[in-house]
Amino acid sequence: MKRGKKYREKAQLVNKTTMYDTVEALDLVVKTTVAKFDETVEAHVRLGVDSRHADQQVRGAVVLPHGTGKKIRILVFAKGDKATEAEQAGADYVGAEELVTKIQSENWFEFDVVVATPDMMGVVGRIGRVLGPKGLMPNPKAGTVTMDIAKAVDEIKAGKIEYRLDRANIVHVPIGKVSFGPEKLKDNFTTLMGAIIKAKPSAAKGTYLRSVVLSCTMGPGVKVNTQRIVE
């Protein structure tokens, strides 16, 4: 892939063979931004597990202290008092069967997170095949299947994100915007890595943190010294 002149100039700031400390890596990520918009900073964490085995899954959620910088649109499946609770908490969309129909018939996906009360999971299950591949299926481990709807909505709006393995055993997670600056990004990154390390499956053998790369939307990847993260 041929890169533009501006990208090539910024990429020269990064030594591809160097494992940087967290602050230094984030400083480089901010300096190598090339877009005119406020780019998202992402962490890509390769883990020493095998996602094909149920006892080696890594999945959970964590509230980033400074949020993600993105307005999150929340859809809640609930009825009665819980639907009212969701509306009062500030959920963007609240409903039940009619939302399932809208998603099925209109291919409607104008939301970023789905929350549901346990009694609604039978209804949500009807669209599991379309929500699952998009990473939108509610899950108890992520706190998105709960009776405490107000708390779930509040945490998501405050910066709660979900992390999970892909098929290559990598976790891809946004940790903020370039405009946050290195210090706030460090707080978010440290919180995320603490959660991922804590979520290490007992069945995982050998090196758990295989590699960690930080990057902004349009910029080059910067490798992080995983040994220093563990320390």
Side-chain angles (χ1 to χ4, degrees):
M1 180 177 177
K2 189 174 182 180
R3 301 285 190 175
K5 180 181 178 181
K6 186 178 290 187
Y7 175 94
R8 295 197 303 271
E9 288 176 352
K10 292 294 183 74
Q12 289 179 1
L13 297 173
V14 181
N15 187 325
K16 293 182 179 180
T17 63
T18 299
M19 298 291 183
Y20 295 94
D21 288 344
T22 299
V23 174
E24 194 175 5
L26 287 168
D27 187 52
L28 280 170
V29 168
V30 171
K31 286 180 178 177
T32 53
T33 180
V34 296
K36 293 182 179 179
F37 60 88
D38 192 7
E39 296 185 46
T40 296
V41 178
E42 300 178 344
H44 308 277
V45 186
R46 182 183 294 277
L47 299 177
V49 296
D50 189 341
S51 61
R52 293 174 298 178
H53 300 291
D55 62 352
Q56 293 188 46
Q57 287 295 322
V58 177
R59 181 175 186 174
V62 63
V63 178
L64 299 180
H66 302 291
T68 63
K70 177 183 177 183
K71 184 182 182 302
I72 304 297
R73 300 166 298 176
I74 305 171
L75 182 155
V76 176
F77 283 98
K79 288 183 176 181
D81 292 343
K82 290 300 174 182
T84 302
E85 183 181 324
E87 291 170 351
Q88 293 177 343
D92 298 274
Y93 309 102
V94 183
E97 287 84 353
E98 73 278 9
L99 291 178
V100 171
T101 302
K102 184 177 179 67
I103 291 170
Q104 290 175 322
S105 61
E106 302 177 22
N107 194 35
W108 175 71
F109 289 99
E110 295 180 12
F111 47 89
D112 305 295
V113 180
V114 179
V115 180
T117 52
D119 58 299
M120 291 301 298
M121 285 307 292
V123 174
V124 179
R126 300 175 196 168
I127 49 175
R129 289 186 177 180
V130 293
L131 293 182
K134 294 178 179 292
L136 293 170
M137 192 66 180
N139 184 283
K141 290 184 178 180
T144 47
V145 177
T146 177
M147 288 300 290
D148 197 343
I149 292 295
K151 180 182 177 182
V153 172
D154 287 344
E155 286 185 341
I156 292 168
K157 287 186 174 292
K160 185 177 183 178
I161 58 166
E162 182 179 357
Y163 58 87
R164 60 188 298 184
L165 290 173
D166 67 7
R167 292 182 178 180
N169 302 315
I170 302 173
V171 174
H172 305 276
V173 187
I175 60 168
K177 296 287 187 178
V178 167
S179 60
F180 282 19
E183 286 304 316
K184 287 185 177 180
L185 289 170
K186 179 192 174 186
D187 291 343
N188 281 357
F189 177 69
T190 301
T191 300
L192 167 68
M193 293 309 301
I196 291 176
I197 291 170
K198 189 176 180 179
K200 179 182 178 179
S202 58
K205 306 298 181 185
T207 303
Y208 180 54
L209 292 180
R210 292 288 179 86
S211 67
V212 177
V213 176
L214 295 170
S215 67
C216 53
T217 307
M218 307 292 288
V222 181
K223 296 177 182 178
V224 181
N225 187 331
T226 56
Q227 195 60 44
R228 296 299 295 272
I229 293 174
V230 173
E231 293 174 356

